[in-house]
Amino acid sequence: MDQADTVRTPASWVVVGLDNGGTCNNATVLDATGQFLVSHLVENPSRVLDGPESAVEQLAAAFTGILELTSTPHSLVRAVGLDTPGPASAHGVISSKGATNFNQVSWHGFDIRGALEARLGLPVIYNNDANAAALYAHHRHFGTAALEKSSVSAIVGTGLGGGVVENGKVIRGAAGMAGELGHVQIPLHGVLEDGQPVPVCNCGFEGDVESIASLTGIKKNLLPYWLTRFPDHPLAAEPVDKAAKMLRGFGEKDDPLAVAVFSQQARAIGKLFTIAANFTDPDAYFLGGGVVEAAPHFRQWFLNTVRESTQLRDEQAHAATFALVPDLDMAGARGAAVAALDAVAGGSR
């Protein structure tokens, strides 16, 4: 799926991809031939903190705006792909307990997919944001062979999201909770230092991937420990929330404390991918999130450390690849669009 060189009016039908976030929505258009009509980030305010009604209107505005930008008639749109942060059901119903971006009571149990479908009068296909990014990474990497390949993606952010793709389709699971890779508990041998406390996740699990490989894991578990080992470090004078966000900048400068923290994160993801190797034996392992947005030498070092920490049999090592999720700021919207295109082409939702 190559990007179109210029914005153009498609000759056939299209789908629209909408990526909903805590601050902004991102939109794209994908035509029936697999061409994206937008080669850059197109955003508008999401207004999720103003409640469901305002947020749905902003998604509708994003839809209208991207059609205007690409000179695409409304009549050519067959479906809309939508992704939001989780937790939510496979059909786009926000958790009954809410979520980070959807903490108002009015969001609890809200059917955002159904509400947008009613507002636009078009079929809406839903995925969570990590699954959408995983789907885009898969299709971008494999191209025309995507429907014959499998992959596992780990998306490192505030938490750790993930996605499992088999034969080009996201594995959803019976309750829509497949691919919650952050909450897979991993062996901690080779990850933690002797005497280092076992990390605890906000979900209540001990030693799951998210408790280590996430911004929350840095703030809650890793940084407090490593600052005891580097008591004179400049970050020791900062509030832990701020220090956690500053850490990547130190990592890009090969700071020993930062390297120790990010090494533990990479080894934890390697343990996760080792489990995946024995569970689904994928063709590719994708890594996304904040580490992808870092300086090239740092993200390559991180990916190499993940690869080295993933224990594969010789046959698997020859068959599988490791890669970064491309176009990360656009990956959600593009993955949502790919899911919509697949649903229309497959005749089901």
Side-chain angles (χ1 to χ4, degrees):
M1 286 178 290
D2 297 325
Q3 298 175 4
D5 292 331
T6 58
V7 172
R8 60 186 173 84
T9 302
S12 60
W13 56 270
V14 304
V15 295
V16 171
L18 299 176
D19 170 49
N20 169 259
T23 303
C24 294
N25 299 315
N26 177 31
T28 194
V29 180
L30 178 63
D31 74 14
T33 69
Q35 292 279 339
F36 285 103
L37 307 191
V38 182
S39 60
H40 58 282
L41 196 64
V42 180
E43 296 182 311
N44 75 322
S46 64
R47 293 185 60 186
V48 294
L49 298 181
D50 294 339
E53 184 176 343
S54 296
V56 171
E57 281 303 311
Q58 288 300 101
L59 284 167
F63 172 83
T64 301
I66 202 67
L67 294 187
E68 291 176 355
L69 179 66
T70 56
S71 302
T72 302
H74 187 287
S75 59
L76 294 185
V77 182
R78 294 277 184 91
V80 176
L82 169 68
D83 78 72
T84 76
S89 76
H91 302 292
V93 178
I94 304 301
S95 168
S96 59
K97 296 182 179 180
T100 301
N101 291 339
F102 308 112
N103 54 11
Q104 297 174 353
V105 174
S106 55
W107 278 113
H108 296 187
F110 183 77
D111 180 2
I112 190 169
R113 186 205 66 81
L116 184 62
E117 186 168 89
R119 174 65 178 79
L120 298 180
L122 287 164
V124 174
I125 291 80
Y126 177 82
N127 282 280
N128 70 44
D129 54 357
N131 279 350
L135 188 62
Y136 175 63
H138 182 93
H139 280 260
R140 176 65 183 270
H141 184 83
F142 289 115
T144 56
L147 298 182
E148 303 167 2
K149 300 291 186 177
S150 61
S151 64
V152 171
S153 298
I155 314 295
V156 186
T158 303
L160 188 132
V164 179
V165 178
E166 186 69 35
N167 294 329
K169 296 181 183 296
V170 170
I171 302 299
R172 296 178 180 272
M177 296 182 181
E180 289 291 343
L181 303 183
H183 304 299
V184 173
Q185 290 169 297
I186 57 172
L188 297 177
H189 177 72
V191 176
L192 300 184
E193 297 283 293
D194 290 340
Q196 184 173 358
V198 174
V200 178
C201 182
N202 284 347
C203 76
F205 283 174
E206 292 186 345
D208 65 10
V209 189
E210 185 173 302
S211 70
I212 300 169
S214 67
L215 180 62
T216 302
I218 290 176
K219 178 174 62 178
K220 184 176 179 180
N221 299 308
L222 303 189
L223 194 54
Y225 168 76
W226 282 104
L227 284 173
T228 67
R229 303 289 298 273
F230 293 84
D232 298 325
H233 195 279
L235 290 179
E238 302 289 346
V240 69
D241 284 16
K242 182 178 179 182
K245 292 178 181 178
M246 295 172 63
L247 190 66
R248 189 177 68 196
F250 282 87
E252 291 173 334
K253 298 174 183 175
D254 300 323
D255 173 80
L257 180 150
V259 169
V261 170
F262 288 113
S263 292
Q264 289 194 316
Q265 291 200 324
R267 293 199 299 269
I269 295 170
K271 295 282 190 181
L272 170 69
F273 284 167
T274 300
I275 293 171
N278 288 286
F279 212 89
T280 68
D281 189 24
D283 293 286
Y285 302 86
F286 295 118
L287 178 68
V291 292
V292 176
E293 298 169 338
H297 77 277
F298 176 82
R299 68 191 184 206
Q300 191 59 52
W301 165 79
F302 193 92
L303 180 64
N304 289 345
T305 306
V306 170
R307 182 191 291 113
E308 292 162 5
S309 304
T310 303
Q311 294 177 287
L312 301 179
R313 296 175 177 84
D314 288 343
E315 299 90 337
Q316 293 174 312
H318 286 109
T321 58
F322 288 75
L324 300 171
V325 175
D327 306 321
L328 191 66
D329 54 358
M330 296 185 290
R334 289 186 163 196
V338 168
L341 181 67
D342 178 67
V344 172
S348 61
R349 177 154 53 104

